[in-house]
Amino acid sequence: MIRGLIRKLGLVKTALVITFIASSASFVLYLISTSVFGNYNIRGVCNSIIFPCVIAPILSIIFLRITVQLDLSEKALHESKEKYRSIIENIEDGYYEVDADGNFVFFNDSLCRILGYSRADLMGMNHRKLIEKEDVDKVYKTFNHVFTTGEPFKGIDWEIITSDGRKCRIDVSVSLVRDENNNPKGFRGIIRDMTARKQAETALKESNEKYRQLLNHAPTGIYEIDFIKGKLTSVNDVLCEYTGYSRDELLSMSIYDLMTRESQKIFISRLEKLFNGEKIPDSVEYQVKTKDGQLIWALLHAKYFYENGSPKGATVVIHKIDDLKKQQEETRRLEDQLRQAQKMEAIGTLAGGIAHDFNNILSAIMGYTEVSLLRVVGDDKLKQHLQKVLKACNRARDMVKQILAFSRQSDYERKPIRISQVVKEAGKMLQASLPATTDIRMDIDPASGIIDADDIQIHQIMMNLCTNAAYAMKDKGGILGISLSNIELGEKDVAAHPDLKPGSFLKLSISDTGGGISSEVMDRMFDPYFTTKPKGEGTGLGLSIVHGLVKAHSGFLTVESDFGHGSTFHVFLPKTENEFIPEKVESADMPSGSEKILFIDDEQSLADVGKQMLEYLGYCVTIRTSSVEALAHFKSDLKKFDLVITDMTMPELTGDKLSQQILELRPDIPIIICTGHSEHITEKRSREMGIKAFVVKPYLIHDLAKIVRQVMDSHS
């Protein structure tokens, strides 16, 4: 009531009210006493009123102040309790209070979270329920020590069991709780979940142990260095093996003690750049001195660490590379071989694509030229010009064959041939491509014999040797000599080649008046990918290919060179007893017919020239430039055509797929498939599919007439 009055009126007004009440009460009591006992006087009246008015305010002020202070103390206590409760409830760690028997009487939400129990379940629960049996005795001793000594206990590592049966590592503190008489009544403390920390400590310990094991059992040397002191601060066993020093010896040595003078210079130079903020390669090669005075090559890879932006040291992995240094040159050579092989593979792919497109172009040129020749009457000069066009086209066709042969995309055909014509043709081709400062002089024996060979490969041998000879004279020019003659070789001549027998050979010689070949180059010039030409000008394959082709023809190759004055390559090829059969000259008469033919090619010019050729031969021809349209047209009347001639490479539906679908519709229809060049179809595969003939572009009208008639006659 008093506190409410103070809050309402304030301290002074409340004191006046109390003074008035006290004075009034004192006067009433005086009147009552005088009425009972008598002795009423003015002095008594004044004393009953004045005395309370003086004394009451003083006493009321004192009383009221005490009351206010008590009120403020209670308020502060309440606020303190609220702060305490707020802190307890909001800390991440668990707070607990248990009675003397170990039953929970107070705790925060964090403890519930750590233990996995609700407040209702945890209240009154005995803490022994949470402890593993083997830890019960340890926990009892801890609490008993705190109970008997009164001293708090911190940093206790226990393992408890949560509500879901999970084991949890906790860090516990215990202190004593006393009652108002200072008698022990229970315990309080903090519980911190240490599971994650313990797992991290375990992981760190395992990591450190793994690092130590890795350091000492790594197959390479590892060390740490302090740049400021120039000392090794850590080394592993492999480094000790490399150098022959013990661990203690290495840790007492300067890094410079292990290096040669040249390696020291490199190390100091790298260190200066590093301290100047320049970027340096992580890897470097040094020569290291071992304890017994030997020198070993070492490859070092460093990971630098810094302090205040300045390099302090490094962790270094060191590999002993003595054997590697010896193999580096061989490795580089193999890498060059692989690189060149990949280039050659790319060239081969390119060659196939060029062959297909170029053969289609040649087909149109040759076809229209032949058709024109057949229609020209009386103009002999025009006929001569057209015949020269055909001859040039034939040479272009042969060149495509050579490109495919070089890229290994066509098969070689060995047969008895006179290579004199091949040599002459190659010489003419070279004359057109070489500068005027190179004088080609040919000496071909007209009676040179016959060998079993592929003319394309012989042409390749010629071109490679002559190209090299011309390159040797590219600066000043000179004489490129080509000779072909018969020669008899005896036992001594073939002694260096056990797989050869004495006998009759052809000798092809290619000479130049260039700078000659040094003895060092002579030893390696037939190695694959070895070249003396600048990068980008040679593959290093020319002589290697020549050597392989000559050997494949059961021959051999020799070289004569006068350094500074020129070189001569001699190719010896064994002559054959097989009979040379000249190519047959096609008869002017061409077989003809009147059958109905469906001709399909996606290039309009080839379709048109094919139609003209076949119509000239008497056939009734329908052309289509779309394989899909051709199939639809064939389906419209399955008996309309007697023969189908189709290109191989076409969009939407290729020639082989088209042929399969046509044969499914009409199995007895003969089909001829044509191709400029394709890896997807061969003559063998086409026959397995039921295709009657396989024609390679470009073809002449004689070829087409002969093949069409053969197919039709065999079918009938």
Side-chain angles (χ1 to χ4, degrees), residues 29-179:
L29 289 173
Y30 175 75
L31 291 177
I32 293 171
S33 67
T34 55
S35 65
V36 176
F37 300 104
N39 197 20
Y40 177 84
N41 57 63
I42 295 300
R43 184 179 180 182
V45 172
C46 293
N47 288 338
S48 65
I49 295 172
I50 295 170
F51 181 77
C53 288
V54 174
I55 299 301
I58 296 172
L59 293 177
S60 63
I61 290 295
I62 294 171
F63 172 74
L64 291 174
R65 283 189 178 279
I66 293 171
T67 302
V68 170
Q69 289 298 323
L70 287 174
D71 189 43
L72 292 173
S73 296
E74 288 179 3
K75 183 179 179 182
L77 178 62
H78 177 74
E79 290 177 352
S80 177
K81 286 183 178 179
E82 284 301 315
K83 286 183 181 180
Y84 173 75
R85 181 176 296 276
S86 177
I87 292 171
I88 291 299
E89 290 300 336
N90 288 287
I91 61 174
E92 287 294 320
D93 295 333
Y95 174 82
Y96 71 92
E97 292 182 8
V98 296
D99 59 21
D101 294 326
N103 300 314
F104 288 99
V105 296
F106 179 77
F107 44 84
N108 65 355
D109 290 339
S110 293
L111 186 68
C112 296
R113 174 179 53 78
I114 293 171
L115 300 180
Y117 289 96
S118 66
R119 280 187 170 273
D121 292 336
L122 194 58
M123 184 62 73
M125 182 187 294
N126 194 282
H127 70 270
R128 293 185 183 87
K129 184 178 178 180
L130 306 172
I131 302 169
E132 289 274 22
K133 291 181 180 180
E134 54 267 24
D135 287 338
V136 170
D137 187 55
K138 181 172 68 173
V139 174
Y140 171 77
K141 287 180 179 179
T142 301
F143 277 87
N144 187 57
H145 174 79
V146 174
F147 185 85
T148 55
T149 64
E151 297 176 356
F153 217 104
K154 295 181 181 180
I156 310 166
D157 184 12
W158 287 341
E159 188 172 73
I160 61 170
I161 304 172
T162 62
S163 62
D164 58 1
R166 180 174 53 86
K167 291 184 179 181
C168 177
R169 301 297 302 188
I170 58 172
D171 181 84
V172 184
S173 66
V174 182
S175 61
L176 197 60
V177 178
R178 297 180 183 275
D179 60 15

Side-chain angles (χ1 to χ4, degrees), residues 216-222 235-247 250 288-292 294 296 318 320:
N216 287 325
H217 294 90
T220 58
I222 302 175
V235 298
N236 73 342
D237 294 340
V238 177
L239 186 64
C240 296
E241 293 176 11
Y242 284 172
T243 61
Y245 291 102
S246 67
R247 188 185 302 271
L250 286 173
V288 176
K289 295 184 293 185
T290 65
K291 188 174 182 178
D292 60 6
Q294 293 185 11
I296 62 171
I318 174 172
K320 187 178 179 182

